[in-house]
Amino acid sequence: MTQANEGTANDGKALETSVDGKKYARIPLRTRVVMPEDDIDQIVTEYAKDAVQPGDLLFVTEKIVAITQGRSYRLDEIQPRKLALFLSKYVTRTPYGIGLGMPETMEMALRECGTPRILLAAAVAAVTKAFGRKGDFYRIAGDKARAIDGPTSHTIPPYNEAVVLGPKNPRQVATHLKALIGGTADVAVVDINDLGGNILGSTLDKAGEQRLVRILKDNPLGQGRESTPMGIIRTV
């Protein structure tokens, strides 16, 4: 049975938003803490399937998809190389997420993206940052680097001591989950935080994905211990 609290927004977040003259509800779906031994099909079936209506969109955070794919690593499992120690010192940390600003997350970026790509991204970013331009590191490093999630003080245990990589094959995951919930609602795997968002894979077209980013702009799932790793978009 679903744990959705329809009509209830997370603390500090608005339930509804307006984009292109239309109103949308963003309904958070509260779940138990998703663990590596969990199955994404079971989680979606248990907490979302009965809550989704025809015409809705189910959005699922990349983190729970990745966790159920075995892509979370305890900090004590990661041995950063000297290059990771060096590069992580130059990453700007924010209150919303550590990103690659710690040796362990940088080490996983080097493994995921390859050392040449990360070195190129770092070199270009160092030059363009001096001219006041931001964001080039992740533009060059790509979605795999952007999706790496490191621990913060407000992360739900046990992931306050873990690094979670981006999910594998997010577009195929979205297509599979759409069929799982009956095929009458679209699905998107999203990487959303309080600084912005990115659609990693979905059953939408490009325009739909761009609209979804705007609908989720203020991160209605929150950035802390809300335990709402999924949500429903519904036209009001």
Side-chain angles (χ1 to χ4, degrees):
M1 182 166 52
T2 180
Q3 299 287 323
N5 293 318
E6 295 198 21
T8 303
N10 280 326
D11 289 345
K13 303 295 180 178
L15 182 67
E16 295 183 4
T17 191
S18 294
V19 171
D20 297 335
K22 290 185 178 180
K23 282 190 176 182
Y24 299 92
R26 295 93 49 87
I27 304 164
L29 300 178
R30 190 171 302 281
T31 74
R32 66 179 185 275
V33 177
V34 176
M35 301 297 287
E37 60 268 23
D38 284 319
D39 179 84
I40 191 64
D41 287 13
Q42 181 199 355
I43 295 295
V44 169
T45 298
E46 182 177 352
Y47 293 101
K49 189 173 182 179
D50 291 343
V52 173
Q53 299 176 5
D56 285 350
L57 181 140
L58 175 68
F59 63 105
V60 181
T61 60
E62 93 291 351
K63 190 166 186 174
I64 64 165
V65 175
I67 287 169
T68 58
Q69 291 176 337
R71 289 172 63 76
S72 63
Y73 299 84
R74 297 191 319 269
L75 291 178
D76 60 12
E77 294 179 304
I78 305 168
Q79 297 298 320
R81 69 194 84 173
K82 290 182 179 179
L83 180 60
L85 291 165
F86 173 75
L87 292 175
S88 65
K89 294 177 182 178
Y90 296 94
V91 176
T92 302
R93 301 186 183 194
T94 77
Y96 307 115
I98 200 164
L100 303 185
M102 66 184 297
E104 289 83 359
T105 52
M106 183 61 76
E107 172 62 28
M108 297 311 291
L110 289 165
R111 296 184 195 180
E112 276 284 279
C113 307
T115 299
R117 180 181 285 270
I118 294 298
L119 286 175
L120 175 62
V124 171
V127 173
T128 57
K129 192 174 182 180
F131 294 95
R133 177 168 159 165
K134 298 179 180 179
D136 283 316
F137 178 89
Y138 286 109
R139 272 192 284 274
I140 295 170
D143 288 344
K144 286 183 178 180
R146 187 183 289 110
I148 293 173
D149 195 1
T152 64
S153 59
H154 54 251
T155 305
I156 295 175
Y159 304 108
N160 59 336
E161 296 182 0
V163 175
V164 182
L165 305 182
K168 289 183 179 178
N169 305 317
R171 189 170 297 279
Q172 286 129 283
V173 171
T175 300
H176 170 74
L177 293 179
K178 178 175 180 176
L180 180 71
I181 60 176
T184 61
D186 282 303
V187 175
V189 178
V190 303
D191 178 12
I192 303 290
N193 59 45
D194 288 345
L195 294 177
N198 189 34
I199 310 304
L200 301 184
S202 82
T203 59
L204 300 167
D205 59 17
K206 206 63 178 173
E209 289 188 348
Q210 292 170 350
R211 181 170 58 250
L212 180 58
V213 169
R214 284 179 284 158
I215 292 171
L216 299 177
K217 184 178 180 180
D218 61 338
N219 189 17
L221 296 184
Q223 194 66 21
R225 299 186 177 225
E226 292 85 356
S227 195
T228 52
M230 299 185 289
I232 294 170
I233 304 295
R234 181 171 297 156
T235 303
V236 177

